[in-house]
Amino acid sequence: MSSKLFEFNASNLEAWQKAAIKSAPGGDVNALNWKTPDGIVVKPLYTAADTANLPYANTLPGFEPFLRGPQATMYAVRPWTIRQYAGFSTAEESNAFYRKALAAGGQGVSVAFDLATHRGYDSDHPRVEGDVGKAGVAIDSVEDMKILFDQIPLDKVSVSMTMNGAVLPVLAGYVVAAEEQGVSQDQLSGTIQNDILKEFMVRNTYIYPPEPSMKIIGDIIEYTAKHMPKFNSISISGYHMQEAGANQALEMAFTLADGKEYVKTAIAKGMDVDAFAGRLSFFWAVGMNFYLEIAKMRAARLLWCRIMKGFDAQNPKSLMLRTHSQTSGWSLTEQDPYNNVVRTTVEAMAAVFGGTQSLHTNSFDEAIALPTEFSSRIARNTQLIIQEETHITNVIDPWAGSYMMESLTQEMADKAWAIIEEVEAMGGMTKAVGSGWAKLKIEAAAAEKQARIDSGKDVIVGVNKYKLAKEDPIETLSIDNVRVRDGQIERLAKIRASRDSAKVQAALDALSAAAESAVKGSAARGAGNLLDLSIQAVRLRATVGEVSDALEKAFGRHRADTQKVTGVYAAAYDDGDNVGDTMEYWNQIKVDIAAFADAQGRRPRVMISKLGQDGHDRGAKVVATAFADLGFDVDMGPLFQTPEECARQAIENDVHAVGVSTLAAGHKTLVPAIIAELKKQGADDIIVFVGGVIPRQDYDMLYEAGVKGIYGPGTPIPVSAKDVLEQIKKALG
């Protein structure tokens, strides 16, 4: 029988189309198309014709443009590094976790710091009372850092540190801790995130304004290139962009544009591009859009090679995009949480098929609280099973040649490149970030996504479809914030009492002088390398807060403008194509708000706030957008408010309710504090409601403190809005 009977040709394609039309909804074969969040139309069928003219479909791994992977043999010789991101309250507890994880198959240490450390505050600072030891490890000095890495050989174990705002004292503490362990700087391997531009867009753990922050980045790239040749000086992160709501094309475009800006900064210091570019690394989020995530990672390598060619990089290592990846935290659900094990496995597979160099898999309980030892083991074993049992590692880029994947890779590249060109037309990513444009693009995407979930257009199993009638409680990890803070304060007092204060002050003064020089002269150059000077200060036992304060004297502390998008959330309800049961809430609450305004002479007014040092504002911004679209008057409090400041603003703005968004486990301290402050300032008629990551075992405590509504992850916004309105009406009598 002739094989030509089975070959693709125009006649066969026509026959397929006729067959597809018969079964397609409404007889429209285009109804089978899937439009991605990025605006790319994915067809149900791809053929050889779709890849016939693609320029990079037949390239090889390890060679330009590295679409198929940065290494020629990829996982066939060496699998990706299993690097679990973790930090728990104290350095002692975190060290115990790292050592146990390494003994059980972990292959690197990835450190999560608490928010006080991220924002450059020592644990005894009054602004961080509710943040110390929450959502990461508290680090105040090199003494904490030495405990953190006790019995972990830093000449053999690579260390990744997610740190941006307080990057100088934290990286300096790591260097000095290694020195006192007997490990020289040239032996250190690992990565410091050091990606400040994305902080101004999404995560908000910045300290200084953009321009001096770029000076810090340039100094770190310069210092590590000279003294730490095995260490990655920056990890350019798209992860937090996707977590904040960016689709895959936005995440890729903004991340690569950030990388381009950092390369410009290093070159402006007089560095040769090939002297540092080989140590730049990237960090992607990997969510539940399986095909898009694989295509994104392949397309990103293609585009980074193109960008670096534009800088005339000659060394092949300068052209390679090497990346760490982490499964999505945002895709995890509080409802039916064991489904998260499956979600994380699917996302891990996408990261592997996309060609990641290292991977963190999230624990199934992270939508509820910090991960337990039990859930962390499952997350780590997910990777071990993929590495050891599936034989996926035996084939290099198994998606190569797929009609669909090659086409989707090119479409993702084209979509992202168009955004990068738009950024360049604005003058680069620093300008795009400074204008607020980039942040608003991400927030609009986040609001649109949430509306699609709340309206039922996007299915989340166990949340808006196939819901359990009854949720069983699961064991969660709780951190005693007061105990941790008391211990840190005691250690700080001992350090300050035992050091040579005059020498410490002289080192801090030298750091301030160098920072002042950078402000007065060229922000790119300045007098003295800030990392070098920070290391000198930390050797003398200067603390994280003191080093940060020394820089703040010259640079100042950044204050972000509070903006919100409008109309995006409502569009998902107003297009007449909704499913699910929240549509009736949406329509009814608009009627109820209009009736409230008629009766009270004004619309219900709410203030959405973030207390403490938690800068993750996706949820707060989406809620503010949706409430405004429903008809509420909405105020946004600035980031990093204390309870006292929040209460004062709520009273001045004459709001009916304060909504606290919490993702960093500070609710047990900060929420009762805002209720107490409102009462203290004579405004206990203002109701307080809370949303975010809150373990159910904490609900009763919050209700007893006076909270009127708690809305965990997965709560449809129209449902929470209706309840808030009812609580306001009840408070008014």
Side-chain angles (χ1 to χ4, degrees), residues 197 257 260-261 264 420 422-434:
L197 285 176
K260 188 174 184 180
E261 200 83 344
K264 289 179 186 175
I420 291 169
E422 193 174 356
V423 169
E424 285 301 300
M426 294 182 185
M429 203 61 192
T430 302
K431 295 280 178 62
V433 168

Side-chain angles (χ1 to χ4, degrees), residues 114-438:
D114 74 355
L115 290 169
T117 306
H118 272 289
R119 295 268 294 145
Y121 293 113
D122 286 334
S123 296
D124 56 358
H125 197 286
R127 296 195 74 89
V128 299
E129 184 176 352
D131 297 299
V132 176
K134 294 285 192 179
V137 59
I139 297 293
D140 291 319
S141 73
V142 69
E143 294 301 328
D144 291 328
M145 200 68 87
K146 287 170 66 177
I147 295 168
L148 188 68
F149 296 118
D150 182 43
Q151 298 182 57
I152 296 174
L154 295 178
D155 56 338
K156 296 180 176 65
V157 176
S158 67
V159 174
S160 172
M161 293 178 284
T162 299
M163 179 53 62
N164 303 280
V167 63
L168 286 171
V170 166
L171 182 54
Y174 164 70
V175 168
V176 176
E179 287 175 354
E180 297 186 11
Q181 196 185 86
V183 179
S184 61
Q185 294 180 25
D186 62 347
Q187 294 176 288
L188 295 173
S189 64
T191 304
I192 187 81
Q193 192 163 102
N194 193 29
D195 174 7
I196 201 63
L197 285 176
K198 68 99 173 43
E199 297 296 326
F200 296 110
M201 282 186 275
V202 289
R203 194 161 172 260
N204 300 309
T205 56
Y206 45 70
I207 301 176
Y208 317 110
E211 192 172 354
S213 295
M214 294 297 285
K215 153 70 177 169
I216 291 171
I217 284 171
D219 279 12
I220 290 173
I221 292 173
E222 179 184 54
Y223 185 93
T224 54
K226 289 180 181 177
H227 304 287
M228 302 165 67
K230 294 173 14 179
F231 197 83
N232 298 326
S233 55
I234 190 167
S235 174
I236 306 150
S237 174
Y239 183 86
H240 306 95
M241 296 182 201
Q242 188 179 135
E243 290 290 281
N247 57 44
Q248 282 77 8
L250 267 182
E251 177 197 4
M252 173 166 50
F254 284 172
T255 305
L256 296 178
D258 281 351
K260 188 174 184 180
E261 200 83 344
Y262 297 139
V263 172
K264 289 179 186 175
T265 299
I267 290 173
K269 289 183 69 67
M271 297 183 69
D272 174 55
V273 66
D274 287 316
F276 67 86
R279 299 314 306 179
L280 304 179
S281 70
F282 288 79
F283 175 23
W284 301 121
V286 184
M288 287 298 288
N289 274 317
F290 186 76
Y291 296 140
L292 285 187
E293 294 294 2
I294 299 169
K296 175 189 76 181
M297 295 173 74
R298 300 172 91 245
R301 289 192 290 269
L302 169 67
L303 295 186
W304 185 244
C305 183
R306 183 187 299 176
I307 288 169
M308 295 309 293
K309 284 279 191 181
F311 287 109
D312 198 29
Q314 301 298 314
N315 190 328
K317 289 187 176 180
S318 300
L319 308 176
M320 295 177 186
L321 185 153
R322 297 165 302 109
T323 191
H324 173 67
S325 300
Q326 181 173 338
T327 60
S328 174
W330 184 83
S331 72
L332 304 178
T333 64
E334 178 188 34
Q335 297 86 349
D336 208 356
Y338 291 107
N339 289 341
N340 295 332
V341 177
V342 181
R343 292 186 179 102
T344 294
T345 303
V346 170
E347 292 166 350
M349 296 275 280
V352 170
F353 283 136
T356 192
Q357 277 62 70
S358 62
L359 178 62
H360 166 90
T361 34
N362 285 328
S363 301
F364 71 83
D365 51 359
E366 289 187 57
I368 306 164
L370 292 170
T372 62
E373 187 174 325
F374 169 72
S375 65
S376 297
R377 181 174 59 84
I378 293 173
R380 182 181 62 251
N381 286 353
T382 299
Q383 294 194 56
L384 289 171
I385 289 166
I386 296 172
Q387 281 190 359
E388 302 287 353
E389 297 187 27
T390 65
H391 296 283
I392 284 173
T393 59
N394 296 113
V395 178
I396 304 160
D397 188 24
W399 284 89
S402 158
Y403 301 144
M404 180 277 296
M405 186 54 68
E406 297 294 3
S407 298
L408 190 54
T409 297
Q410 188 63 49
E411 288 205 64
M412 286 290 289
D414 292 343
K415 180 71 72 172
W417 192 253
I419 298 170
I420 291 169
E421 288 182 322
E422 193 174 356
V423 169
E424 285 301 300
M426 294 182 185
M429 203 61 192
T430 302
K431 295 280 178 62
V433 168
S435 70
W437 172 83

Side-chain angles (χ1 to χ4, degrees), residues 4-124:
K4 289 187 177 181
L5 290 173
F6 303 104
E7 288 180 357
F8 162 76
N9 56 52
S11 176
N12 289 345
L13 181 58
E14 185 178 347
W16 175 83
Q17 289 172 328
K18 288 179 180 178
I21 286 170
K22 289 181 181 179
S23 57
D28 180 11
V29 73
N30 290 324
L32 300 175
N33 291 341
W34 166 46
K35 189 174 181 180
T36 74
D38 317 77
I40 296 170
V41 175
V42 179
K43 302 182 298 183
L45 177 72
Y46 287 80
T47 67
D50 291 294
T51 60
N53 297 314
L54 295 183
Y56 306 110
N58 294 311
T59 59
L60 292 170
F63 292 87
E64 295 179 26
F66 305 103
L67 181 148
R68 298 190 59 191
Q71 305 299 330
T73 54
M74 289 301 290
Y75 310 139
V77 169
R78 180 185 175 188
W80 65 93
T81 301
I82 298 173
R83 191 187 296 282
Q84 291 302 97
Y85 177 57
F88 299 94
S89 62
T90 65
E92 290 89 345
E93 290 177 62
S94 297
N95 171 262
F97 177 89
Y98 298 148
R99 286 164 56 190
K100 190 174 291 186
L102 289 168
Q107 296 154 355
V109 170
S110 187
V111 183
F113 298 95
D114 74 355
L115 290 169
T117 306
H118 272 289
R119 295 268 294 145
Y121 293 113
D122 286 334
S123 296
D124 56 358

